[in-house]
Each structure stands twice: as structure tokens, then as C-alpha cells.
Amino acid sequence: MVPRGSAAETAGALGRRPPSSPPPYQLKAEFFKTLGHPVRIRVLELLSTREYAVAEMLPGVGVGPAALSQQLAVLRKANLVATRREGSSVYYRLAGDDLAELIRVARGILTGVLQGQADLLAGLRATAQ
């Protein structure tokens, strides 16, 4: 009789992931869903420059304290930001330098897309005359 291994070992031997481990593409989709809110993106943009206290972020994000708190909680749960407490203030920072790089790269991609659209629009306007 051959001893049976765990479900993970069996799945691995067959080239499949165990049911409890989502495939990397699904994890990436969840990551990008987490980033898929304008307030969260703005928070990450701010935090890519320095650490901020919650009260300092409010003018830069354009939402009230409750909405900002809710979005910060989402970022905390996803381990994208880290906190520290100093007296009654809570300070936020990016959990890693890669996030600042991601924001910078996204800005570059968006700039390229918008430039391409501007070039297309200019071409359409030129042919319409």
C-alpha cells in the first residue's frame, strides 16, 4: 500500500495548485482591485513622497475624515501601508519602496496613453479641415 500525501503534495505532483492557493493572476487582479479607487491612489501618491499624519492627508485627498479612514483601512488590510502612533496622531507610510515605483510607472504609462490619444485627436482634426 502506498502512503498518501497531503492534498497540496498531490496537487503539486499533478502540476496543479492546492484548492486553498489562488493562482498568481488572481492575486494580481485582487491587488489591482485594491488600487482601483481614486482616494486610495491619491493616498499612495502622497505617501510616495513622505510619511503623513491622517490630518495632514485630508486636504490632499478631498474627502472627509470618515471616507479617508475607510480607504486607509483597505490599504492597511492589504498591507500596502504601515502605521505608527505618536501621541494622538497616526502616521502612515508606504509599506515598501516598490509602491512608489509602481505609482511612478503608472503615471508614465498613463502619460503615454494620453499622448497617443492627443496625437490621434490632432490627426482627426487635421483631416477634418
Side-chain angles (χ1 to χ4, degrees), residues 23-40:
Y25 62 85
Q26 186 175 351
L27 295 172
K28 290 174 191 171
E30 291 299 320
F31 170 75
F32 283 109
K33 281 184 199 177
T34 300
L35 298 179
H37 192 284
V39 171
R40 292 193 288 261

Side-chain angles (χ1 to χ4, degrees), residues 58-69:
L58 284 168
V61 296
V63 297
L68 177 57
S69 179

Side-chain angles (χ1 to χ4, degrees), residues 13-65:
L14 298 175
R16 298 184 309 230
R17 284 181 177 66
S20 62
S21 176
Y25 62 85
Q26 186 175 351
L27 295 172
K28 290 174 191 171
E30 291 299 320
F31 170 75
F32 283 109
K33 281 184 199 177
T34 300
L35 298 179
H37 192 284
V39 171
R40 292 193 288 261
I41 292 295
R42 184 61 184 138
V43 165
L44 294 175
E45 287 175 340
L46 289 172
L47 296 177
S48 70
T49 62
R50 66 176 176 89
E51 180 181 74
Y52 276 83
V54 175
E56 290 179 292
M57 279 189 267
L58 284 168
V61 296
V63 297

Side-chain angles (χ1 to χ4, degrees), residues 5-124:
S6 69
E9 290 170 336
T10 303
L14 298 175
R16 298 184 309 230
R17 284 181 177 66
S20 62
S21 176
Y25 62 85
Q26 186 175 351
L27 295 172
K28 290 174 191 171
E30 291 299 320
F31 170 75
F32 283 109
K33 281 184 199 177
T34 300
L35 298 179
H37 192 284
V39 171
R40 292 193 288 261
I41 292 295
R42 184 61 184 138
V43 165
L44 294 175
E45 287 175 340
L46 289 172
L47 296 177
S48 70
T49 62
R50 66 176 176 89
E51 180 181 74
Y52 276 83
V54 175
E56 290 179 292
M57 279 189 267
L58 284 168
V61 296
V63 297
L68 177 57
S69 179
Q70 182 182 29
Q71 299 309 323
L72 288 168
V74 172
L75 293 171
R76 266 193 329 268
K77 183 177 178 188
N79 295 314
L80 298 179
V81 296
T83 62
R84 71 176 177 86
R85 182 173 290 279
E86 188 174 301
S88 62
S89 296
V90 178
Y91 289 84
Y92 281 82
R93 66 185 177 281
L94 294 180
D97 294 336
D98 290 348
L99 283 170
E101 178 67 10
L102 178 64
I103 295 298
R104 189 191 65 73
V105 168
R107 186 179 305 117
I109 292 169
L110 184 56
T111 299
V113 167
L114 293 175
Q115 183 61 53
Q117 291 175 353
D119 294 345
L120 179 61
L121 181 59
L124 289 172

